[in-house]
Amino acid sequence: MKNILVLCTGNSCRSQMAHGYLSALLNGKAKIYSAGIETHGLNPGAVAIMKEDGIDISTHTSNNVDEYDGIPWDFIITVCDHARENCPYIPSKDAKRIHHNFFDPSKVIGTEEEKHTAFLKARNEIRDFCKKFAEKELN
């Protein structure tokens, strides 16, 4: 079984959405972990927007990357530039490292509709990325 780590700054939003999609798309073909270089708890906007697409991430936890020390990673996916630039090096001899900087919807200030639109945009980009990743790397 493959081990996949999705890494972001606070493991509250983008990495959680990717974790949810990869778990659903890969359906047991890989063990999915998500973590941050900090922990910020689950973002309620991320939980809500994923629920709209039929994926429940409400039971996920916000984890620090140090909690997964020693796991032999097959893939390490960073989903924000800040994590890529500030994360301590994660030793994993055989890991394929993939980076894609996704827009951070949690930074949007505005009306509820503007915030929802931001989360929808990020979610859809992450979903498309995860589908392409699953097709290319694990099918």
Side-chain angles (χ1 to χ4, degrees):
M1 174 142 339
K2 304 281 185 188
N3 289 317
I4 300 172
L5 174 63
V6 184
L7 188 63
C8 198
T9 300
N11 191 220
S12 67
C13 188
R14 294 167 287 178
S15 55
Q16 293 289 352
M17 288 192 272
H19 182 160
Y21 277 120
L22 289 171
S23 293
L25 290 165
L26 297 174
N27 195 23
K29 292 181 184 175
K31 179 100 172 142
I32 313 301
Y33 301 80
S34 62
I37 56 176
E38 305 164 2
T39 56
H40 297 167
L42 286 179
N43 183 296
V47 174
I49 204 73
M50 291 297 287
K51 188 174 185 179
E52 286 182 19
D53 203 24
I55 297 178
D56 182 8
I57 62 169
S58 66
T59 59
H60 286 196
T61 57
S62 184
N63 300 87
N64 188 286
V65 68
D66 294 337
E67 296 175 44
Y68 300 134
D69 187 39
I71 293 176
W73 301 112
D74 295 287
F75 297 93
I76 298 172
I77 303 169
T78 50
V79 294
C80 73
D81 286 343
H82 184 262
R84 181 181 186 194
E85 294 161 3
N86 293 285
C87 184
Y89 180 75
I90 301 169
S92 193
K93 184 177 120 185
D94 298 320
K96 183 171 183 178
R97 296 168 194 271
I98 299 169
H99 174 70
H100 187 99
N101 184 51
F102 291 100
F103 161 76
D104 186 356
S106 69
K107 303 290 187 211
V108 171
I109 298 169
T111 66
E112 289 306 310
E113 183 178 334
E114 290 168 329
K115 291 176 185 178
H116 181 268
T117 299
F119 274 94
L120 186 63
K121 176 184 185 293
R123 184 201 71 192
N124 291 346
E125 289 176 2
I126 291 167
R127 181 187 60 213
D128 293 347
F129 170 85
C130 289
K131 283 181 179 178
K132 288 176 186 167
F133 169 82
E135 289 169 7
K136 179 181 178 189
E137 301 293 349
L138 296 169
N139 284 331

